[in-house]
């Protein structure tokens, strides 16, 4: 990474799908006004996760030897549109992008678009982007906890949108409590993609 110390990386997507570059800035802390709607629609915010060890669910201790960045929110409809040119679904700008498939065997628009999102981020920032591995995602999700969920052992509507509180629809990102590392919607709302 160009700068290894700051906690947050912010990619400005406001130039839209025809932009030749997306400016990248870094923050040491959450902005004084918090994560406003711009950070969920025209900017993409990633948090640095330091290397460490943890016990993956159902597996032995796993060690991640390098720090990595992961989005603090699920990618939203507007962010997707800023990169690709259209949204994959019709919910609000700050709702997660979904109805997107990621399968190497698929020749669908959704697969091509998902690959294009990564390719365009790489081309327009000169940074290396990929989906997190299962181990990276679980490590980031758990945020140092050992319980079933990052808040405890029972489902809790204060932290997640799920079958009992979602009315069977997606909801704007970041409206539930975050985990200890400031990552939102790591459980619930929509499914997460991992590299492996």
């Amino acid at each position: 990474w160009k700068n290894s110390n700051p906690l947050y990386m912010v990619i400005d997507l406001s130039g839209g799908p025809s932009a030749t570059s997306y400016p990248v800035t870094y923050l040491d802390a959450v902005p004084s006004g918090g994560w406003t709607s711009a950070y969920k629609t025209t900017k993409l915010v990633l948090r640095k996760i330091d290397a460490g060890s943890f016990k993956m669910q159902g597996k032995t201790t796993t060690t991640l030897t390098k720090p990595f960045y992961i989005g603090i929110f699920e990618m939203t409809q507007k962010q997707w549109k800023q990169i690709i040119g259209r949204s994959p679904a019709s919910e609000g700008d700050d709702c997660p992008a979904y109805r997107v498939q990621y399968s190497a065997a698929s020749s669908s628009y959704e697969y091509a678009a998902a690959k294009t999102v990564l390719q365009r981020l790489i081309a327009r920032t000169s940074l290396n982007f990929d989906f997190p591995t299962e181990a990276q995602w679980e490590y980031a999700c758990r945020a140092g906890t050992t319980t079933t969920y990052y808040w405890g052992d029972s489902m809790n509507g204060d932290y997640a949108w799920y079958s009992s509180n979602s009315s069977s629809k997606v909801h704007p990102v970041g409206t539930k409590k975050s985990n200890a590392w400031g990552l939102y919607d790591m459980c619930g709302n929509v499914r997460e993609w991992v590299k492996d």
Side-chain angles (χ1 to χ4, degrees):
W1 300 100
K2 291 181 179 178
N3 188 334
S4 61
N5 294 321
L7 193 56
Y8 298 100
M9 176 192 304
V10 181
I11 303 166
D12 185 349
L13 305 173
S14 62
S18 61
T20 57
S21 67
Y22 293 140
V24 178
T25 56
Y26 296 89
L27 301 171
D28 292 320
V30 176
S32 60
W35 300 119
T36 62
S37 65
Y39 291 103
K40 301 173 186 179
T41 56
T42 58
K43 296 178 183 183
L44 183 63
V45 182
L46 298 103
R47 185 197 193 277
K48 187 174 83 171
I49 306 297
D50 289 323
S53 297
F54 75 112
K55 185 166 180 158
M56 280 185 80
Q57 190 167 9
K59 298 184 180 177
T60 59
T61 299
T62 301
T63 299
L64 299 172
T65 59
K66 296 179 182 177
F68 60 95
Y69 279 91
I70 193 165
I72 65 166
F73 302 113
E74 296 162 318
M75 180 172 273
T76 64
Q77 298 286 339
K78 179 71 174 199
Q79 290 166 333
W80 186 278
K81 186 175 183 179
Q82 292 294 100
I83 298 168
I84 295 295
R86 72 176 187 151
S87 299
S90 60
E91 284 73 17
D93 285 348
D94 59 353
C95 286
Y98 76 107
R99 293 189 182 142
V100 176
Q101 298 172 358
Y102 188 79
S103 167
S106 173
S107 60
S108 67
Y109 161 78
E110 291 85 1
Y111 172 69
K115 292 294 283 184
T116 302
V117 165
L118 294 174
Q119 291 165 351
R120 289 187 182 179
L121 285 172
I122 292 166
R124 294 172 183 172
T125 63
S126 297
L127 298 172
N128 188 19
F129 285 92
D130 206 341
F131 293 105
T133 65
E134 181 182 3
Q136 288 173 325
W137 180 86
E138 188 174 334
Y139 180 64
C141 179
R142 289 190 171 283
T145 64
T146 58
T147 51
T148 304
Y149 304 101
Y150 51 82
W151 58 81
D153 288 317
S154 301
M155 186 51 72
N156 184 331
D158 291 340
Y159 292 89
W161 292 109
Y162 64 108
S163 59
S164 294
N165 70 353
S166 67
S167 300
S168 299
K169 63 180 184 177
V170 298
H171 292 269
V173 301
T175 55
K176 296 294 185 179
K177 292 180 180 179
S178 71
N179 70 12
W181 293 346
L183 306 176
Y184 296 84
D185 301 306
M186 293 297 282
C187 296
N189 215 8
V190 295
R191 292 181 180 182
E192 308 293 331
W193 281 359
V194 294
K195 183 177 180 178
D196 52 349

